[in-house]
Each structure stands twice: as C-alpha cells, then as structure tokens.
Amino acid sequence: MVGCGRSASDADDAQVPTVRLSMDEAPLADTVAGRLFRDPSYVTLRGRMLGSISQLLDWRDRYVIFDRKQNYVYLFDTTGRFIRQVGQAGKGPREYVRLSGVALAGDTLVFYADQPNKLMYYDRVGDFLGERPIARRYCFLEGIGYGGADDRVYGVMPANRGASGYTVTRLTEDGTDGADFLPFEEWPAAVTAGAILTAADNGVLWISRPFDNRVYRVDRTNGEPRAVFRLDFGAGNMPAGYTEGLDDYDVILKASKEGVVFHAARPCQVGDRLLIGTFGNYFLIDLADGTARKVESIAVGDGVEGQFWSYVPMEYQSRRLVLQLIPERVQALAGMGRMKVTPQMDSLLQANGKLENPILMIYELED
C-alpha cells in the first residue's frame, strides 16, 4: 500500500517503461507530419488585446483564455469573437489580486487566486457563482486542473533549492485540506517552480516537473499521479552534480547552452500521442508503444507552416493540436518572399486589425 504523500509511481518505479528521445534525430518532414492531421482551421482572436496565452481551455462552443501576463481571463467564441472578461481584479469580495490558473469542472469555470488564497467559481456565461478559501499551506500554487477518479481540483506547488515537500496536491471538495503526492527533497534549484499540469478529456491530467525525467498521469481509475514513462534524453540527460555552485537562473542558461534537459515541459495529449517540448526540441510519443518521433513543422501550402515551437495545449479535449501564427512573423516572411499571403491569410490578418493577437491554427486528427 502506498501512503498519503507518496505516489504509487515511486513504489512501481522499476516497472515504468523508458522512452528514448534523440536530440540529434532529424524531425519528421513537414509533409509527413501533416498527414497526421486534417488541414487546419484558423481562428483570429479579435476584440481584445492579449498579453499572452497562458492557458487555452475548450469549453464546447467557446474558448477560455487565461492571460497570465495581464492577469485576466477571457471568453471567446469558436470563431475568435470576444465575448467578455470573466472576474475582476481587486481586493474586495468576488475579486482577486493575482491568478495562477483556471480549470473546467463541467459547466463551472474555476479560478485559483493565490492572492488572496481561494478558489472562485463562474457559470458558462461568466457570472460569479461563489468562492471558497483554501488552506494556507496551498498558497502560491503554480497552476490547477480538474479531473481524476473523484473529480477534484489538483494543483502543482513550487519548491526552493534545498527544500522538502510535495509537487502535487489534490484538494478536498471544500478546499480546506488535501492529499499530497510526488515528494521532492533537496532538489538542486528553485526552478522546480516550473512544474506543469495540463488537462485532457475524460478526467485525464498530465504532469511533468523539472529534474524528474518521468511524466505522470491522473485519470478516472487512478486518483494519484502515476508515472507513465521515463524519458531518456541520451547525451542530453543531466549529469549528477550538474547544478552545484550555480545560481538558479544560471542553471537554465547553462543547460540551454549545452543542450542538457532538465524538464519535459507542457505535456499535451493529441489522440493516442503525447506532445512534449524540451529546449527547442519537440516530440510526439505514442502512448501505446512508447515510440517517439521528433517534429518541427507542418506544411500547409504557399509557404505557410505551422511551427511546433508555438504550440499551446488546448485543454479538456484530446483531438486537436493548436499552433500559433504570429502576424508580425507572417508579414516578415512575406516581405522576404518566403511566404505567400493568400486571400485567406490576408483576410485573417485584416480581421486581426491592429491587435496583433496570434492567429490559432487548429489541427484536427485524421480518423
């Protein structure tokens, strides 16, 4: 039996399959990668200027966008038309000072506000339903998701160099307490704050964290995070003692320069594959047999390519891949003759106006 605070994956670690990823592997040709998907649909987000797309949630006939940079949450319809802002920044009741994540619980949109420390609830129209304080020991969660065996809010927690604690918590329904999983002890740098949690459909949550080559999953049958596979980056694996004598930020700079991987970030389920990114390298991993293929771009035509570096997980679904077209980049490539601005592309840019929001390229899996 695995007790509270210790993941079942730790007990069964020897059984976790290894997936080997080669940083030097040539990526799939853009035309080959394109055969996995239908031609993309395009969504121009219009009506509100975005600072960033930190989370993109699929809420059936609308999208939820959490803009961490501007500290706002927006609703857009599936054509990209702005519907409304949800919630209000401030220090009073029904307000938040800072948000760190959003999640979907059926027809309810959930905010996690770490200032003050509470969960906030909204209906599909975006109207306020209520709020609940959560235990102080769960302050400053890095993000949240909703799912698992009992349909609960899960959060990922930060850590500091030399600290001890847990990376993942499952909150009780009233938010007063929770169960903790995936301990960290004496981890080498404070960048453990980069733990990532993304939601697929049917209660599935994917979790990755720095300095741990395993990728974890929560689902309807397993309410505790279980390691699905261990990633072997070959020459990119971080050697023992690599971070000694380095400041936390210097760890990132050194690893980036030397091609050393300390985090498989932004796990994103697309059908029966999982997409992960590692310092400019992107891989699609087959969840059935563990085979992995490096990917870089998807050709669309007339010089238009979807670049995997721009992907953003579309959460609470698992059939679509979202890449972003940056208007300034499109115009620059067109000016160099490397991309043709077709009538369709021109209409997308015109619809964007002066907002310069990313244009979403939404790829649906082939049947």
Side-chain angles (χ1 to χ4, degrees), residues 1-258:
M1 178 177 293
V2 179
C4 176
R6 184 166 178 260
S7 171
S9 62
D10 294 321
D12 303 325
D13 198 52
Q15 305 301 317
V16 178
T18 296
V19 173
R20 290 176 171 81
L21 306 177
S22 173
M23 302 294 106
D24 298 326
E25 175 187 345
L28 284 177
D30 52 14
T31 52
V32 175
R35 292 175 197 154
L36 300 173
F37 304 94
R38 301 172 188 169
D39 288 340
S41 58
Y42 297 89
V43 174
T44 298
L45 300 170
R46 57 197 187 277
R48 185 56 58 99
M49 178 67 176
L50 300 176
S52 65
I53 301 178
S54 303
Q55 282 184 265
L56 171 63
L57 313 184
D58 179 8
W59 211 4
R60 301 195 298 277
D61 63 346
R62 63 200 64 194
Y63 300 134
V64 180
I65 291 181
F66 170 38
D67 182 344
R68 187 186 297 269
K69 187 174 182 179
Q70 296 187 356
N71 201 32
Y72 291 129
V73 177
Y74 303 117
L75 295 181
F76 289 83
D77 70 18
T78 53
T79 72
R81 180 182 62 85
F82 176 70
I83 299 174
R84 67 171 293 182
Q85 176 185 322
V86 182
Q88 181 63 46
K91 296 183 178 180
R94 303 188 175 194
E95 297 177 335
Y96 58 84
V97 176
R98 188 176 73 173
L99 295 177
S100 287
V102 296
L104 293 179
D107 286 334
T108 302
L109 174 61
V110 184
F111 288 10
Y112 166 64
D114 60 19
Q115 293 184 23
N117 202 37
K118 61 184 177 180
L119 296 176
M120 307 174 71
Y121 304 91
Y122 300 85
D123 64 17
R124 279 181 52 80
V125 179
D127 289 339
F128 180 79
L129 294 174
E131 60 185 42
R132 289 176 175 169
I134 60 177
R136 285 185 61 82
R137 71 190 184 98
Y138 298 125
C139 64
F140 302 117
L141 297 177
E142 290 289 314
I144 63 170
Y146 185 85
D150 299 317
D151 284 330
R152 291 286 186 265
V153 172
Y154 287 74
V156 289
M157 295 182 285
N160 292 313
R161 185 190 290 261
S164 296
Y166 297 91
T167 309
V168 177
T169 185
R170 181 180 62 213
L171 296 174
T172 56
E173 192 167 6
D174 62 6
T176 57
D177 206 347
D180 300 327
F181 309 103
L182 302 185
F184 53 82
E185 294 181 357
E186 299 298 327
W187 279 26
V191 289
T192 50
I196 302 295
L197 184 154
T198 59
D201 53 3
N202 297 317
V204 173
L205 302 174
W206 292 97
I207 299 161
S208 68
R209 57 184 190 159
F211 307 110
D212 183 351
N213 282 9
R214 292 163 293 187
V215 178
Y216 300 87
R217 170 180 163 132
V218 169
D219 55 36
R220 294 292 189 208
T221 58
N222 294 305
E224 299 185 14
R226 292 179 178 268
V228 177
F229 40 71
R230 182 201 314 274
L231 304 176
D232 181 353
F233 299 103
N237 288 329
M238 179 172 284
Y242 186 81
T243 65
E244 290 181 7
L246 295 176
D247 291 334
D248 299 330
Y249 185 64
D250 289 338
V251 172
I252 299 174
L253 293 179
K254 181 181 179 184
S256 177
K257 181 179 180 180
E258 298 178 355

Side-chain angles (χ1 to χ4, degrees), residues 261-325:
V261 179
F262 67 85
H263 192 191
R266 291 190 299 165
C268 171
Q269 185 173 345
V270 186
D272 57 2
R273 296 177 174 87
L274 192 70
L275 175 62
I276 61 167
T278 60
F279 273 151
N281 295 289
Y282 303 91
F283 295 88
L284 280 170
I285 301 172
D286 191 306
L287 293 172
D289 61 19
T291 56
R293 295 302 305 267
K294 191 175 184 180
V295 289
E296 187 173 88
S297 62
I298 300 177
V300 178
D302 294 319
V304 179
E305 290 182 340
Q307 299 287 331
F308 276 88
W309 64 261
S310 70
Y311 85 94
V312 55
M314 181 182 280
E315 300 187 65
Y316 298 92
Q317 62 83 43
S318 60
R319 291 286 303 171
R320 281 165 286 166
L321 169 71
V322 178
L323 307 179
Q324 301 175 75
L325 272 178

